[in-house]
Amino acid sequence: MTVHNEAKIGEIAKTVLMPGDPMRAKYIAENFLEDAKLVNKVRGIYAFTGKYKGVEVTVMGSGMGLPSMGIYCYELYKFYNVENIIRIGSCGANSEEIEILDVILAENSYTESNFAKAMTAEDCHIIGTSGRINEVIKETAKEMNQPIRVGNMCATEYFGPYSDISPEKTQSLPQELNILGIEMESFALFYTANHLGKHAACLATVSDSAYRKRELTADEREKSMNGMITLALEAAIKL
Ligand code: HPA
């Protein structure tokens, strides 16, 4: 038990899937897991532990933004002996070549935030995934015939579509990093995992793009999410 999580030690699996939205965690538990049990509801950040193809997996919301992800993933790794966390979220496109509904697997996460400095006094703004989860996800996607885009992610402190300075900001991101997607959690997850010697990965479905005038229907959003969720679960049970 921690101040933010009432699950008992042992009630959380060694591999955790983290959507940003706690209601998405509930949806995954109800539609993909067997014998799912609600193990946390503090602040509405639901965590469910159940079985996927006989293997125990936990799904838990991370909330939005670096600080929220930072708290929950730290507690999972540090106090609940979690080994692997796979973020399954959404992101904006940062490149003309990225389509709405593409699924991006992050290799590195870049940020302009001082998250790392606040945590460890290190002036770090780019961090890779840690552990072998990415390799397993890539293999699994191939087996499932599911296309994924592999590349770099940027984690911002402000929701891009609401920013007055969004286009200029986007252009000021280091061009050599070839950033494919923009979201708000991956850096906190990767940095914490690296710091604690644990494993992390981030899959994100593209939900918006400054380069495309296309709104997603609820049905499209759900179906695309289902593909990403299945990929994450199939990879999770191999870890
Ligand atoms: N920016 C940041 N986070 C996001 C976005 C975005 O464009 N889309 C979905 N999450």
Side-chain angles (χ1 to χ4, degrees):
M1 229 170 116
T2 71
V3 277
H4 308 104
N5 195 332
E6 66 195 340
K8 297 187 191 73
I9 307 296
E11 283 186 326
I12 293 190
K14 74 167 183 169
T15 299
V16 180
L17 263 53
M18 293 191 97
D21 179 2
M23 292 307 289
R24 181 79 54 190
K26 185 166 181 282
Y27 169 84
I28 297 168
E30 286 170 355
N31 292 284
F32 291 83
L33 300 186
E34 282 153 27
D35 305 326
K37 180 182 165 205
L38 178 66
V39 294
N40 182 56
K41 53 183 183 330
V42 175
R43 294 180 185 238
I45 295 286
Y46 302 128
F48 294 84
T49 299
K51 288 198 169 148
Y52 181 74
K53 298 191 174 170
V55 180
E56 200 170 74
V57 178
T58 295
V59 281
M60 177 174 175
S62 67
M64 289 181 280
L66 298 162
S68 184
M69 171 58 96
I71 290 170
Y72 292 112
C73 75
Y74 182 87
E75 292 181 349
L76 290 171
Y77 287 138
K78 184 92 182 171
F79 305 120
Y80 287 98
N81 305 315
V82 167
E83 284 300 319
N84 312 299
I85 297 179
I86 306 175
R87 164 166 157 71
I88 38 171
S90 61
C91 70
N94 188 53
S95 160
E96 186 132 37
E97 64 185 82
I98 297 294
E99 299 292 337
I100 302 279
L101 292 183
D102 276 358
V103 174
I104 298 175
L105 175 67
E107 282 190 310
N108 298 284
S109 178
Y110 170 80
T111 191
E112 290 176 346
S113 136
N114 278 323
F115 180 91
K117 218 180 226 179
M119 185 179 183
T120 65
E122 185 191 11
D123 193 15
C124 168
H125 294 272
I126 181 155
I127 187 95
T129 54
S130 87
R132 63 179 196 98
I133 309 181
N134 267 23
E135 290 318 306
V136 175
I137 291 176
K138 282 187 235 171
E139 264 168 43
T140 309
K142 217 177 259 171
E143 285 161 19
M144 291 171 63
N145 240 337
Q146 186 166 326
I148 50 170
R149 312 290 303 241
V150 183
N152 293 332
M153 200 67 93
C154 172
T156 61
E157 289 185 296
Y158 193 77
F159 182 59
Y162 294 169
S163 172
D164 291 341
I165 53 160
S166 183
E168 300 93 90
K169 255 322 228 186
T170 301
Q171 276 152 33
S172 80
L173 296 176
Q175 292 300 304
E176 69 278 14
L177 290 181
N178 190 23
I179 289 165
L180 301 183
I182 303 192
E183 44 80 83
M184 303 179 73
E185 292 81 19
S186 56
F187 186 90
L189 175 61
F190 294 178
Y191 192 78
T192 305
N194 276 277
H195 182 63
L196 297 176
K198 302 284 187 160
H199 301 182
C202 168
L203 282 165
T205 300
V206 177
S207 60
D208 54 276
S209 170
Y211 304 95
R212 302 279 186 279
K213 289 275 150 281
R214 171 149 148 35
E215 294 274 318
L216 279 185
T217 64
D219 191 45
E220 281 179 316
R221 192 179 282 258
E222 181 166 323
K223 287 209 178 95
S224 68
M225 285 281 170
N226 285 349
M228 179 176 65
I229 292 164
T230 308
L231 170 58
L233 284 167
E234 290 288 337
I237 60 175
K238 294 181 187 163
L239 297 172

